[in-house]
Amino acid sequence: MTRYTLEQIKAAGWLKEANYIDGRWVAADDGRVYGVDDPATEKRIGEIPWVGAAETHRAIDAAQTAFTSWSMTTAGERAGLLGRMAQLVRDNLDILASMLTFEQGKPVAEARNEMKLGADYIQWFAEEARRINGEIVPSPWKDRQILVTREPVGVVGAISPWNFPFSMLSRKIAPALAAGCTIVIKPSEFTPFCGLLYAVLAEKVGIPAGVVNVLTGDGAAVGAELTANPLVRKITFTGSTRVGKLLYKQSADTMKKLSMELGGNAPTIVFDDADLDLAVENAIAGKFRNSGQTCVCTNRFYVQDGIYDAFAERLTERVQQMKVGNGFDDGTEQGPLINQAAVKKVEAHIQDAQSKGGRILAGGKRHALGATFFEPTVIADATPDMVIAHEETFGPVAALFRFKTEREGIDAANSTEFGLAAYFFTRDLARTFRVARAIQSGMIGINAGVITTPEAPFGGVKDSGIGREGSTHGIEDYLNLKYLSLGGL
Ligand code: NAD
């Protein structure tokens, strides 16, 4: 694949250092900007406007005005525009992947996969636009008919995180537009360019002004306006549970629909009868992808007594072979962490584990490359009193807990307030169904470590959130049901 320089990406018009409101590229009202750095080199890659409530208010007004005509377009028209957007991403995968690596740090091959996944989500919802069907229900009255229609909810506010800055937004923007909604987007300040990219794409494919608006700036100020403004009928948020709960509370007064894709603390259970090779390879992909900064990453490995030592040894061997480096370097399997705060959190979790008897089998410290690079780490003898057992580490650390019986494994996996993803490895069919039923989680990978795809519903239970993204269900949150009782027949 071809790698592009920052200058090439900027010259091609993909990286925009402005906000997009009502079809115009604009600066913050007071001219304030915020610097965005490459996590691998800690060098400045660009500046974004730092906007607040006033600009957000204007973007919402523009989206409300555009809603009147956009909601009246045909499903075929909306599907066509979204299909063109997906194709545009596919036609430019390499240059867009380079942009993603510059701002987020992940290896270019992973960045390319993320871009492709985003295009797949857009394509999926382009197709779903034409399947927003109504219903005719058997009526209890002889002279009446009951009709149920589905209508777009109105203006949507979308707030997204930095770990998958393109694909996380694709499963918000695409269903919103497919349903006939308009949208105001606020990407993470650490990775704003993949969010602003949606405005570039919307402009290029000819989506009308006001339908897609993208703001960068103060999360608290933009979020306060998006939640308080009665014109916004739905908030879709992906990010931490802390901010998700805040937005949930703030949305109460205006009674908005909500989708919350929040934090995880995924368990992987490896049973004695697991295929060891499969478990180790999937553990690597499921844990160390994106340097462990994935909401569905395994945070806790529960390994049964009989296979524990073999699994620990094989995982350690494999982790020690992993190549850490700049995402643009050939063969890099693990890039940098997003920033110094992320590194400090990883260090704190490791120190806590060590102080409580955890044994470092691999890694354990900052990488010799400096910046925010961290050694892929394996810790054995993890115990429930360690911070890593309760909190999402969001870094390249695999903590191995030992358990004896199936019941113990299940109870340990469920001993968290989170419930996003879980994984287990077994070759026993009866156990597969027993354990799948017992695990409290929105998604379960069985003998599989990477499970995200547009065809399947993505989302969690408990403190991991509400609502589902992707699949045939992912558009429902952008629609209201309307019941028509047709009398006098
Ligand atoms: P974060 O909650 O700190 O930030 C997410 C977004 O919210 C950013 O755009 C940020 O600017 C904005 N924000 C911050 N404070 C705000 C406020 N007061 N009001 C409104 N918006 C505000 O999360 P993050 O660090 O960007 O992302 C990592 C977290 O996201 C992890 O917990 C991870 O598990 C979670 N995540 C979940 C999923 C999922 O699908 N469930 C996917 C990816 C990431």
Side-chain angles (χ1 to χ4, degrees):
M1 71 181 278
T2 313
R3 285 128 162 98
Y4 289 84
T5 64
L6 204 51
E7 291 67 36
Q8 286 172 318
I9 298 166
K10 286 187 181 180
W14 294 115
L15 191 153
K16 287 282 192 184
E17 295 172 277
N19 280 188
Y20 192 67
I21 301 177
D22 204 11
R24 281 187 293 273
W25 290 99
V26 294
D29 287 355
D30 61 4
R32 268 186 80 184
V33 292
Y34 178 87
V36 182
D37 298 339
D38 174 349
T41 60
E42 298 185 326
K43 285 196 187 124
R44 184 70 24 112
I45 58 174
E47 285 179 341
I48 48 165
W50 194 251
V51 307
E55 296 90 337
T56 310
H57 194 93
R58 279 206 298 284
I60 295 168
D61 282 347
Q64 178 65 24
T65 304
F67 179 70
T68 311
S69 49
W70 180 251
S71 59
M72 297 305 288
T73 54
T74 66
E77 286 168 325
R78 298 193 299 277
L81 288 166
L82 284 169
R84 292 225 288 283
M85 192 188 263
Q87 193 55 45
L88 197 53
V89 177
R90 286 193 208 106
D91 290 344
N92 293 280
L93 276 184
D94 284 0
I95 191 164
L96 297 179
S98 288
M99 182 163 100
L100 175 43
T101 295
F102 270 117
E103 69 172 352
Q104 203 273 340
K106 67 182 64 173
V108 274
E110 272 186 43
R112 199 172 190 279
N113 285 342
E114 179 179 342
M115 281 292 162
K116 189 175 166 306
L117 182 65
D120 290 346
Y121 270 108
I122 298 168
Q123 183 65 46
W124 172 269
F125 285 110
E127 291 161 12
E128 285 299 289
R130 284 193 282 215
R131 289 190 271 276
I132 303 172
N133 300 326
E135 297 157 19
I136 298 177
V137 182
S139 166
W141 301 289
K142 287 190 173 136
D143 63 341
R144 284 206 219 169
Q145 199 152 65
I146 295 175
L147 289 82
V148 183
T149 60
R150 287 184 162 77
E151 297 183 345
V153 295
V155 176
V156 172
I159 302 177
S160 61
W162 50 263
N163 60 342
F164 288 88
F166 188 75
S167 62
M168 292 293 110
L169 271 171
S170 66
R171 52 199 209 191
K172 302 184 184 306
I173 295 166
L177 299 196
C181 299
T182 55
I183 194 162
V184 178
I185 300 157
K186 202 223 64 86
S188 167
E189 55 275 33
F190 303 124
T191 55
F193 299 119
C194 283
L196 289 162
L197 173 60
Y198 282 97
V200 178
L201 295 168
E203 198 175 35
K204 277 189 194 289
V205 302
I207 289 173
V211 173
V212 174
N213 305 274
V214 189
L215 304 170
T216 52
D218 183 0
V222 175
E225 179 61 27
L226 282 176
T227 48
N229 193 314
L231 295 178
V232 177
R233 296 316 314 145
K234 176 187 167 69
I235 293 288
T236 170
F237 174 75
T238 300
S240 62
T241 297
R242 182 188 68 79
V243 175
K245 287 185 177 177
L246 187 71
L247 295 172
Y248 202 152
K249 285 183 195 138
Q250 287 177 192
S251 299
D253 283 345
T254 47
M255 199 54 78
K256 298 186 201 313
K257 265 186 180 267
L258 294 166
S259 303
M260 293 281 157
E261 296 287 349
L262 309 178
N265 184 2
T268 284
I269 313 178
V270 183
F271 289 103
D272 281 346
D273 61 69
D275 176 330
L276 187 58
D277 290 338
L278 192 72
V280 171
E281 269 324 298
N282 278 282
I284 294 287
K287 170 73 249 182
F288 295 96
R289 196 162 47 105
N290 200 17
S291 307
Q293 304 170 115
T294 305
C295 54
V296 290
C297 262
T298 302
N299 209 47
R300 304 166 289 144
F301 285 92
Y302 295 103
V303 190
Q304 207 165 6
D305 220 12
I307 201 172
Y308 187 95
D309 293 333
F311 181 81
E313 191 181 321
R314 292 280 289 283
L315 185 70
T316 304
E317 259 171 42
R318 183 65 186 80
V319 163
Q320 280 166 339
Q321 291 160 7
M322 282 181 71
K323 188 177 168 211
V324 178
N326 188 307
F328 287 105
D329 294 344
D330 282 335
T332 292
E333 288 176 277
Q334 188 188 293
L337 298 188
I338 189 71
N339 52 32
Q340 290 296 342
V343 178
K344 286 196 183 112
K345 184 174 187 189
V346 171
E347 282 179 327
H349 280 206
I350 293 173
Q351 273 157 20
D352 171 79
Q354 278 186 295
S355 74
K356 291 168 182 161
R359 232 168 358 108
I360 307 282
L361 300 184
K365 56 184 191 308
R366 285 168 185 255
H367 197 277
L369 285 169
T372 57
F373 291 98
F374 205 89
E375 293 179 347
T377 299
V378 179
I379 303 180
D381 302 341
T383 50
D385 58 331
M386 294 177 180
V387 176
I388 204 162
H390 307 286
E391 263 184 40
E392 193 182 28
T393 308
F394 235 53
V397 184
L400 311 186
F401 300 74
R402 195 185 282 268
F403 74 93
K404 286 199 169 67
T405 66
E406 181 179 300
R407 191 70 248 169
E408 272 174 34
I410 292 167
D411 288 347
N414 284 339
S415 65
T416 168
E417 69 268 31
F418 296 104
L420 187 59
Y423 309 86
F424 66 88
F425 290 84
T426 178
R427 283 184 284 200
D428 179 329
L429 186 62
R431 168 174 276 167
T432 297
F433 283 92
R434 267 196 317 271
V435 177
R437 181 183 273 200
I439 298 283
Q440 299 158 355
S441 177
M443 300 174 279
I444 304 189
I446 302 160
N447 299 322
V450 181
I451 58 175
T452 308
T453 177
E455 290 80 0
F458 190 104
V461 297
K462 296 160 64 178
D463 266 6
S464 291
I466 49 173
R468 292 293 179 270
E469 293 191 325
S471 82
T472 54
H473 306 285
I475 204 160
E476 289 298 331
D477 274 354
Y478 298 86
L479 296 165
N480 282 328
L481 292 179
K482 185 180 272 178
Y483 155 44
L484 310 179
S485 187
L486 195 62
L489 300 177

